[in-house]
Amino acid sequence: MNTIKFKIAGLCICLLTISGIAQKKKSAAPAAASYTIEGNITGLEDGTAVKLIPGATHSSEPAVAESKIKDGKFTLTGKLKEPRFFYVAFGNNKGFIPVLVENSKIKLSAEGTVSEGEDKKINFKNEVVSGSKSHDYYKKETAFRKELEKDYQEYHKGTEKVSEAYGKARVAGNKKAMDSIGNTPEWKSFEAKEKAFFDKVASSSKNLISKHKDTWWGPFFMMIQYSYFTPDQKPEFEQFSEAAKKSYYGQLVDKEVNPKSLIGTSVSNFALNDKGGKPLSVKEIVAGKKYILIDFWASWCGPCRKEIPNLKTAYSEYSGKGFEILSISIDSDQKAWLKALGQENMQWPNLYDDDKVSKAFNVKAIPATYLVDSKGVIISDNLRGAALEEKLKELFKS
């Protein structure tokens, strides 16, 4: 009888325990359906604008949330389908703090200082982001970048003079001087170290992306590790799971590595400002020309700058035969563009993009080139170096 009582008592305790667990499950807090970013920033005036701007998209994006600083504090709110990378921008985009946002309560603190220069840039130190597990993971997985920054500084030490000399020769289009400098032990040593550095960068990037091929992290890391894509990156995208490809960042990468071809389409007339602020239309520029190469570039784009000597060679050889080049800068900083123009000394028309023309051409990666015939039809694209030379030889062989 006592045994039966103990069994019944044990069963009751078991049922109560299960019931308690069930109650706990029922009362567990649901996942947050929105995000809140509570900021605490010192050193900035009341009324300073704060915007949440999408990052890792390879294009300019409008803010998705806005606020203003009051007593050093601000709040940004919104909803996300999946974690996204943003920049918290301050004072009309004068300073930025990156945050990987998820639907949670996030706290951001930092010490800000406004520079005394004309641009009034805002610099931050002691930035702390808490409350976002995605941000914590992002910081952990990209910690290797600090080591790469040290490596970059290290291999540039002692190369200032030879780099400056080579840069001047490149700007002048002096291939003889470039070849002469390129054959020196100093330059060869620099090139070897530079190659080793970029091999390390490429390896680190590929390992990071492959490690996350089954989730949205994979395509996200592609977007932040590569400022532009080439056909070499297509296999990296193809390795992703279907879920990764269908994620927000997966769809962005897909559009860039599998761009829609514009060959066979006509270029509409457009007008942009030259370095003097004078508007020039493409119709004016191409008048009387047989072929025009529309070249999208930027001052900060290394591959674009390296391609300029090849463009100078093509221009020198074929401009007298009806060939023209139109370079369009997508720089967000017009001063940087003007400085680069002075350094590169390009003798063909150079215009400053208004963000509409590059979008019309669906430019997602630079350098991006489109060869247009006299009728305004795009007949080829992505021509660089030897490929451009071969195409022009073919077109002007008669």
Side-chain angles (χ1 to χ4, degrees):
M1 188 69 176
N2 287 336
T3 303
I4 294 173
K5 285 182 179 179
F6 283 130
K7 285 183 177 179
I8 293 172
L11 179 60
C12 289
I13 291 170
C14 183
L15 289 172
L16 285 170
T17 303
I18 293 171
S19 176
I21 293 172
Q23 288 296 323
K24 284 182 180 179
K25 285 185 177 179
K26 286 182 181 179
S27 61
S34 62
Y35 64 82
T36 300
I37 302 175
E38 295 181 351
N40 189 350
I41 308 294
T42 62
L44 301 184
E45 295 180 352
D46 279 3
T48 298
V50 184
K51 297 179 181 180
L52 191 63
I53 300 175
T57 62
H58 290 186
S59 62
S60 299
E61 303 283 346
V64 299
E66 298 184 24
S67 183
K68 288 186 178 181
I69 289 180
K70 184 177 181 181
D71 298 328
K73 302 182 185 302
F74 68 86
T75 301
L76 298 166
T77 60
K79 295 180 180 180
L80 294 171
K81 291 183 179 179
E82 61 186 72
R84 292 268 306 275
F85 185 81
F86 289 92
Y87 289 103
V88 181
F90 297 84
N92 196 25
N93 299 344
K94 295 296 183 180
F96 303 87
I97 297 177
V99 181
L100 216 157
V101 180
E102 61 186 27
N103 288 330
S104 63
K105 189 174 182 179
I106 301 169
K107 292 185 180 296
L108 167 63
S109 63
E111 299 172 28
T113 55
V114 181
S115 67
E116 296 181 359
E118 184 181 339
D119 54 10
K120 299 292 182 184
K121 285 188 176 180
I122 301 173
N123 299 305
F124 295 100
K125 65 178 182 179
N126 298 327
E127 303 101 313
V128 177
V129 177
S130 61
S132 169
K133 292 181 180 179
S134 297
H135 185 84
D136 294 341
Y137 187 75
Y138 158 71
K139 295 292 287 184
K140 180 176 76 72
E141 291 297 290
T142 57
F144 68 90
R145 286 177 163 187
K146 290 183 179 179
E147 181 185 345
L148 290 176
E149 287 175 9
K150 290 180 181 178
D151 291 345
Y152 180 84
Q153 297 296 331
E154 188 62 32
Y155 87 80
H156 275 83
K157 285 181 180 178
T159 66
E160 293 82 3
K161 288 185 179 180
V162 69
S163 294
E164 183 181 358
Y166 190 87
K168 286 181 178 178
R170 186 191 66 189
V171 169
N174 189 339
K175 282 198 169 185
K176 186 176 180 180
M178 290 169 67
D179 291 340
S180 176
I181 296 169
N183 286 323
T184 62
E186 293 85 358
W187 186 258
K188 287 183 177 180
S189 174
F190 171 75
E191 280 192 320
K193 291 177 181 178
E194 185 175 56
K195 183 181 183 304
F197 170 76
F198 281 106
D199 285 347
K200 185 176 181 180
V201 171
S203 175
S204 299
S205 296
K206 287 183 178 181
N207 290 340
L208 177 66
I209 293 163
S210 296
K211 178 181 175 181
H212 300 89
K213 63 183 180 181
D214 294 325
T215 68
W216 65 270
W217 284 102
F220 164 69
F221 283 130
M222 275 194 79
M223 293 297 290
I224 65 168
Q225 289 301 115
Y226 299 118
S227 58
Y228 63 93
F229 294 126
T230 69
D232 293 339
Q233 276 81 55
K234 194 168 183 177
E236 292 185 61
F237 173 74
E238 295 301 334
Q239 72 178 322
F240 293 144
S241 67
E242 284 304 308
K245 289 179 179 178
K246 290 178 181 178
S247 68
Y248 173 79
Y249 290 109
Q251 292 179 59
L252 290 184
V253 176
D254 189 12
K255 288 180 181 178
E256 294 195 24
V257 298
N258 297 301
K260 182 180 178 182
S261 175
L262 295 179
I263 294 175
T265 61
S266 297
V267 175
S268 300
N269 188 36
F270 59 83
L272 294 171
N273 289 343
D274 64 11
K275 64 180 180 180
K278 176 186 175 183
L280 284 177
S281 70
V282 68
K283 189 175 181 180
E284 294 176 79
I285 295 169
V286 303
K289 303 295 181 181
K290 293 181 180 179
Y291 300 99
I292 177 171
L293 185 74
I294 300 178
D295 163 49
F296 289 92
W297 73 296
S299 64
W300 46 261
C301 171
C304 300
R305 303 286 290 262
K306 287 182 179 179
E307 183 61 20
I308 290 173
N310 294 325
L311 294 179
K312 287 182 177 179
T313 299
Y315 191 73
S316 175
E317 187 170 351
Y318 295 102
S319 61
K321 300 178 182 180
F323 175 63
E324 184 61 278
I325 299 175
L326 170 59
S327 287
I328 301 174
S329 167
I330 65 168
D331 276 283
S332 58
D333 183 349
Q334 191 169 7
K335 289 181 180 178
W337 169 58
L338 293 173
K339 181 180 178 181
L341 286 183
Q343 293 171 334
E344 298 294 356
N345 191 30
M346 295 180 279
Q347 298 301 307
W348 53 86
N350 273 267
L351 304 179
Y352 189 66
D353 187 34
D354 59 2
D355 211 30
K356 295 178 182 177
V357 174
S358 57
K359 283 184 178 178
F361 279 84
N362 195 31
V363 174
K364 296 293 185 182
I366 55 173
T369 60
Y370 302 88
L371 188 62
V372 182
D373 66 14
S374 59
K375 296 179 181 179
V377 176
I378 297 174
I379 60 173
S380 190
D381 59 11
N382 291 320
L383 293 171
R384 301 176 208 158
L388 175 61
E389 176 65 20
E390 286 300 313
K391 188 65 178 179
L392 293 177
K393 276 184 181 179
E394 174 193 326
L395 294 172
F396 288 102
K397 63 183 177 182
S398 58

